[in-house]
Amino acid sequence: MDVEVTSAATTVRPDYEFLTDPARVFPVVIDPEYWWAGGKRNHVVVQAPWPDDHNFNRTDGDLGDLKAGYQGGYISRSYFDFDVSAMRGKIVNRADMRMRVVNSYSCNGGPTELWRTGPIDWGTTWNHQPGWQANLGSFTKSNNVK
């Protein structure tokens, strides 16, 4: 089946042989999937011991990996900003966010939650975090597990 996705429309061209096969049972439902593999536009890591640090888009030193939860006895959080303009006007039935845990505070891991929040910018710090709007889910993984 041929699928063409443009900014204006999604065009699906069903396979002729598929539709004319005498064994085909109708009705036939054609529901194409669209996979958008967009990435983060911005990020910021905030950490309790450094409540006024501005870590917007920093990747140097310990900020080379994003942080979530307990680490060394203190709490860290990472916020992301995605450019979803390609999805504007689309109906989204399901969305997944895939992450890999590089290192967990304990071998058992612990729950990592995903929240929709207010916007982030250079002024986002531990003392100035965006408002938490909705819990979108959680997962429990430990070291180097996808």
Side-chain angles (χ1 to χ4, degrees):
M1 178 166 50
D2 186 31
V3 177
E4 178 183 346
V5 178
T6 68
S7 61
T10 299
T11 305
V12 178
R13 292 180 193 87
D15 181 68
Y16 180 78
E17 287 76 26
F18 171 82
L19 292 174
T20 58
D21 183 343
R24 183 70 45 231
V25 176
F26 288 89
V28 172
V29 176
I30 300 174
D31 187 10
E33 290 187 346
Y34 174 72
W35 292 93
W36 175 71
K40 69 177 176 61
R41 178 172 45 192
N42 298 299
H43 72 275
V44 62
V45 175
V46 298
Q47 298 175 296
W50 302 280
D52 296 313
D53 280 10
H54 295 270
N55 296 326
F56 188 73
N57 285 336
R58 284 189 55 193
T59 57
D60 56 301
D62 283 341
L63 298 172
D65 292 318
L66 300 174
K67 317 271 185 257
Y70 291 95
Q71 133 182 353
Y74 59 86
I75 299 174
S76 297
R77 295 183 179 131
S78 295
Y79 295 93
F80 304 91
D81 173 11
F82 295 95
D83 179 4
V84 294
S85 59
M87 304 308 296
R88 194 165 282 129
K90 309 289 190 294
I91 297 171
V92 178
N93 294 311
R94 187 185 90 202
D96 295 314
M97 183 167 176
R98 295 191 173 103
M99 301 176 125
R100 184 176 69 139
V101 175
V102 175
N103 191 4
S104 57
Y105 185 67
S106 72
C107 292
N108 297 332
T112 300
E113 298 177 339
L114 178 65
W115 284 78
R116 185 176 65 235
T117 70
I120 60 170
D121 59 23
W122 182 85
T124 303
T125 66
W126 182 265
N127 284 338
H128 296 97
Q129 296 180 49
W132 295 27
Q133 299 170 350
N135 185 327
L136 303 176
S138 67
F139 69 94
T140 302
K141 300 286 183 189
S142 59
N143 299 333
N144 285 310
V145 178
K146 291 183 180 182

